[in-house]
Structure formats: C-alpha cells, structure tokens
Amino acid sequence: MHEDAERCVRAVRSKDARFDGWFFTAVLTTRIYCRPSCPVVPPKVENMRFYPSAAAAQQAGFRACKRCRPDASPGSPLWNHRADSVAKAMRLIADGVVDREGVPGLAARLGYSVRQVERQLLAELGAGPLALARAQRAQTARLLIETTSLPMAEVAMAAGFASIRAFNETVRSVFAFSPTDLRAWRGAVGGVRGGARGSAGRGVAGWGVVGPGVVGPGASGEGAGGAKALGTAISLRLPFRAPLCPDNLFGHLAATAVPGVEEWRDGAYRRTLRLPHGHAVVSLQPQPDHVACRLSLTDLRDLSIAIARCRRLLDLDADPMAVDEQLRTDSDLRPLVDKDPGRRVPGTVDAAEFAVRAVLGQQVSTAAARTHAGRIVAAAGTPISDHGLTHLFPTAAELAELDPSVLAMPQARKVAFTALVRALASGALDLGVGADWAKARADLSALPGFGPWTVEVIAMRALGDPDAFIPGDLGVRVAARALGMPDTPGALVQRARAWRPWRAYAVQHLWATGDHAVNRMPA
C-alpha cells in the first residue's frame, strides 16, 4: 500500500487508525516517522514519504514519533494471512529466529539462500532481515526501559542486543534519546501509568504500561514441589484494528481450556507458555480499545516472542474491515456480520499443541476433549506453579514417550495420535510459523486417522490460513441450512467461493449461530 501515495495521504489526513501498521509516514522536515493516525497536524504532502515497515523508515534515517509510537502499531495483516516466503520470513522474525539462529538460520528454514531472502525482504519491505530484527529489538528495549526498573545492561540482554554499545546506538538512533534519557522522559510525562495511555482513544492502542513492571527482576527458580517459579511480570496493552468481537474469541479459549494449562479467571483468559529461553504465564482480558496483557516470564529475552504468540492466538493483526466487507457481499451472511462485526479466528500459541488437541477432540464433546488433554498434561507435562496453573503442555517428544495406557480413547484415535506426535518429534511434519501451508496439509492428510475436518481445523487455527474451510462440519451445515443455504459439502464449497479469501472467518459467523459455550464469554 505504501506505493499508493494518494491513498496514503488520504489516510494520514483523516487520521485513519485502520491503516496503522499497513504503512508508515516519514516527514522530511522533522526526520520523524509516524503511524497514519498520529494526532499531530499532518505535514505538507511534498514533505511526506511512505514506508512499508518501521525498519525501513529507521534505515532511511527517521526516528520514531514520541506521540503516536509508530513502532508499536498493530502488525500488518499480510504477514499472518499470506503463505508466501516474505510472509513466512516476517512470522519467523517475529518469533525470534534471527536473534537465535541468525540470518543463515532464517534462510535455511525458508529453503532459500541468504542473498535471496535479503533481496525479497528489501524489495517488499525496504529493509533486510537484520534491520527488521533490529527494529523488533528496539521496540522490546523501549518497553522494558519504560515499564521496568531493570538495569540497562539487563534490558539490553533481554531485548536481544549483542552488546551494550549496540543497544545504546540503536536506542539513540530510533528514539533520539539515550536509554537513560528515554526512561527519564517517560517518567517526566506521566511515569508508569502515564505511559499506559499509549494511543488509546484513537481505536488502536499501543504497547503501553498498565501496571507495575517488575516483580523480583531477574529472579527465577524452583517453587513448591519442584515446580519452576516465575520471575518478571510486565503488564501492557495489545493493539488491534477495530472492531473486535471478543465473544467467540475468548469464549472458545475458555470453553476448551485444558486443566492445568489454561483457565478463565476474573474475566481473563490465562495460560502457560513454553518459550525458547524458559516459560511464562499470560493473562489476556478484552477491553474496548485493546487487550490487556500481563506476562510473567522466567526469562525477559522471551518477551517479544511471547507477545507475538499472544497476538497470533487472538488474531489481533487481522484487518476486520476487509474481512467484513467481503463477507457482506453474501446476502445470507450480511445479517450475521452486521450483528457482530470484527469476529476473529481463535488461533494458538503452539501449532503442535493445537494439532494434538485437534486429534484428542475428534468425534467427542468439548468436555471429553478437555478431559483427554488434561490427562496427558498431568502425565507428561512439565510442572510449574502459578495460582491454579500447574503445567506446560507436553512437547511432541515428551508425548512420543507417553505410556499408551494413559490414552483412554478408541484404537483408531490412538493410532492417529501416535503418528502425529512421532511426525512432529522427528521433524517430518512442520506446523511452525514458517511452515508451508500446502505441504503441511498434504503431510497431515497422509497420516492415519486424518480426514478433511481435522486437517482444515489445524490449517485454520494452528497454521493461521484465513481461507481454511470445513464444509463437512456439522455446525457449519446446520447453520447453513437454517440460513437457507445449501448444506451438502459440495454445494457449500461452491457457495463459499464468494467468501474467499476469508472462509475461516465465515465459519466463525456460522458457528456463532449455535447455542454453545464457545460462542460467548463466561460471565
């Protein structure tokens, strides 16, 4: 979109928050870059330049606006909803692959040379993988500088910088402040709670602090019974493009919560997270203009990765206006969309975990699926201790070693379960953020006990394919029949052609016509 200057100018002049994250506006006279919804008076057109990413603006010598905090805008919906190599690269960078494995590791995961990856990213985003990862580190650093009292050396390490010098230079370059001055400036304009306001009131909130930042900074260790304890807690806002309908999003997560791993408590969804450097517990609560997020981490280096996974879980980078506009072209779907605009597709923080749970849920009730999952978590999960949450969901390798007697299910489902966890543990099946969606579907279909329903549910919620469709699902067929649509799978596929590329969102609207706990948030 950044190449359509006329459209960008209109968005900037109208301060349209829907375009935050789609492009960034740089001002030649001030050398500052902003999000489209920035509250300041728009500059003259001849002084505007448009960039596809914050990293590209930074690389061109512009610094982030202190008013609108453009580096904290919602991510582009393209990266979670596209299946090409650039989108895969962006998802992998957000998941910390460049910081952990370098650009060669990113290229290896994508199946390209380093030069090819750099060329593709530069062509579309105006910045290479190192610059994109640097921009992410800068955002994490600012969050820690403004929200915690951690020493700057610990902030630098937690944000992924290789040295204090690189940390200092990056912060100065991006924010025009030294790290110490940035912390002092934030305190001078309102301190911790002043930063909480972020960009609230404009429809899209930034990464702002909403509470005290550090609980025992740097601490981690063993809790009661050998369970691993958590050290650092940070509260922040997760931005999204309005509107957002939280009913099925949080209703689904609450209704399917695995005992010990997930729970609904005090109006918030809580769960444990397995992360590269440790583990965490996250609390997510919907608010009118943001999702309140509280993360308790054993290692601060996992902060940006945890945030990225929570955003994917809640589909927060979606473009609801584009989705709803397309679905409204169907006269039968239009009343559903008008009633609940902004429905999201519930995702997952761990694709392998969701695939396992999809198999456990084959042809059983939601309650039975939770019972099966809770049983294997108790048998193979890693113990932790955090106010009712007791375990991390087991890895595929841990599940591959599980005693079959724990699997109280029909033999055919045991075979499917065993085949899945072995394929995941061996690396023969890739469902990660950089996975090829078509290959993943083919590999899943080749496993025993995997029919179209299981494959498409995994594609929808684990891979994040916005066009995943399950015409044979009973709930979809019942809803279609009630709306006067054809209800046979073949006829539904034909009808749904007009919904593409957003058929997964149409499924959410169809499911929502039923009276099931997944369609409503708990009281």
Side-chain angles (χ1 to χ4, degrees):
M1 178 178 173
H2 71 287
E3 296 175 338
D4 188 343
E6 184 177 344
R7 190 180 181 195
C8 291
V9 168
R10 288 199 302 269
V12 171
R13 284 177 169 171
S14 62
K15 305 187 187 304
D16 196 332
R18 294 175 299 171
F19 293 100
D20 286 354
W22 277 101
F23 71 92
F24 297 83
T25 305
V27 185
L28 294 177
T29 52
T30 62
R31 305 304 297 176
I32 289 172
Y33 74 95
C34 304
R35 56 170 92 198
S37 66
C38 185
V40 302
V41 177
K44 295 179 179 179
V45 174
E46 59 266 28
N47 291 328
M48 294 185 193
R49 295 293 183 272
F50 304 109
Y51 292 92
S53 66
Q58 293 169 15
Q59 196 160 267
F62 296 91
R63 63 176 177 82
C65 173
K66 298 184 182 71
R67 290 286 301 277
C68 69
R69 304 160 70 100
D71 55 319
S73 61
S76 169
L78 296 174
W79 313 138
N80 284 343
H81 292 161
R82 273 172 36 182
D84 58 85
S85 58
V86 172
K88 293 175 190 175
M90 290 300 290
R91 293 196 292 268
L92 288 166
I93 291 170
D95 206 50
V97 167
V98 170
D99 289 334
R100 296 194 302 274
E101 303 173 20
V103 178
L106 173 67
R109 286 175 178 253
L110 295 170
Y112 291 103
S113 69
V114 169
R115 183 173 295 178
Q116 285 175 308
V117 171
E118 290 177 338
R119 185 168 59 246
Q120 290 176 7
L121 290 174
L122 280 168
E124 185 155 350
L125 289 158
L130 286 176
L132 291 162
R134 174 180 178 266
Q136 180 169 290
R137 286 194 295 272
Q139 184 182 25
T140 303
R142 187 188 64 185
L143 182 65
L144 293 171
I145 289 168
E146 295 181 353
T147 70
T148 78
S149 57
L150 287 173
M152 292 303 175
E154 293 186 36
V155 171
M157 181 188 69
F161 287 95
S163 67
I164 292 293
R165 179 179 178 179
F167 165 67
N168 288 330
E169 289 178 350
T170 297
V171 171
R172 285 194 182 96
S173 172
V174 174
F175 305 114
F177 274 136
S178 70
T180 302
D181 289 342
L182 183 61
R183 178 171 281 173
W185 179 83
R186 175 52 57 185
V189 297
V192 165
R193 295 196 178 274
R197 290 186 287 272
S199 55
R202 297 198 304 277
V204 181
W207 275 18
V209 188
V210 295
V214 176
V215 179
S220 63
E222 300 297 319
K228 296 180 179 179
L230 293 158
T232 304
I234 295 177
S235 294
L236 60 147
R237 297 172 177 231
L238 300 184
F240 57 76
R241 293 176 183 84
L244 179 140
C245 175
D247 296 351
N248 72 304
L249 188 58
F250 286 90
H252 204 114
L253 295 173
T256 60
V258 176
V261 175
E262 304 167 287
E263 68 174 359
W264 183 265
R265 177 184 291 202
D266 298 330
Y269 166 75
R270 301 178 71 244
R271 72 153 293 150
T272 61
L273 302 173
R274 186 186 297 274
L275 299 165
H277 300 101
H279 69 276
V281 168
V282 65
S283 171
L284 299 164
Q285 186 173 38
Q287 302 294 333
D289 63 351
H290 67 277
V291 173
C293 172
R294 183 172 177 82
L295 275 163
S296 299
L297 300 138
T298 54
D299 194 315
L300 276 172
R301 289 176 294 175
D302 288 324
L303 176 61
S304 63
I305 299 168
I307 291 171
R309 294 185 183 181
C310 289
R311 296 191 65 79
R312 284 177 59 81
L313 172 70
L314 300 180
D315 196 17
L316 294 184
D317 289 326
D319 183 354
M321 301 297 288
V323 174
D324 292 352
E325 181 180 5
Q326 181 67 28
L327 298 185
R328 282 192 178 101
T329 62
D330 187 303
S331 59
D332 291 324
L333 280 182
R334 189 182 305 127
L336 304 182
V337 177
D338 289 343
K339 178 177 178 289
D340 293 309
R343 281 199 182 276
R344 301 309 208 265
V345 178
T348 182
V349 296
D350 187 317
E353 173 192 314
F354 181 82
V356 169
R357 293 170 61 172
V359 171
L360 296 176
Q362 288 176 337
Q363 299 180 333
V364 298
S365 67
T366 300
R370 293 180 67 227
T371 298
H372 287 316
R375 188 177 293 121
I376 68 169
V377 163
T382 303
I384 69 162
S385 178
D386 190 271
H387 304 291
L389 298 179
T390 60
H391 289 80
L392 303 178
F393 198 89
T395 64
E398 290 168 337
L399 291 174
E401 300 296 324
L402 192 64
D403 184 346
S405 65
V406 175
L407 306 175
M409 61 183 72
Q411 183 60 29
R413 203 172 308 141
K414 285 185 181 180
V415 171
F417 176 90
T418 302
L420 172 66
V421 297
R422 286 178 177 172
L424 289 168
S426 68
L429 174 63
D430 180 13
L431 300 178
V433 293
D436 181 291
W437 293 350
K439 185 177 186 303
R441 276 183 168 94
D443 291 343
L444 286 166
S445 298
L447 297 175
F450 278 72
W453 185 91
T454 306
V455 171
E456 286 303 300
V457 165
I458 292 172
M460 179 187 299
R461 295 195 53 202
L463 296 176
D465 183 352
D467 204 36
F469 190 49
I470 43 177
D473 178 81
L474 179 60
V476 169
R477 296 180 63 190
V478 168
R481 187 184 312 124
L483 293 169
M485 297 181 187
D487 64 344
T488 61
L492 262 179
V493 169
Q494 291 297 320
R495 176 60 177 268
R497 289 184 184 278
W499 307 342
R500 304 192 75 172
W502 311 115
R503 291 184 298 179
Y505 293 85
V507 168
Q508 305 307 311
H509 283 286
L510 293 173
W511 275 342
T513 63
D515 183 22
H516 193 286
V518 299
N519 294 322
R520 53 185 179 270
M521 286 200 302

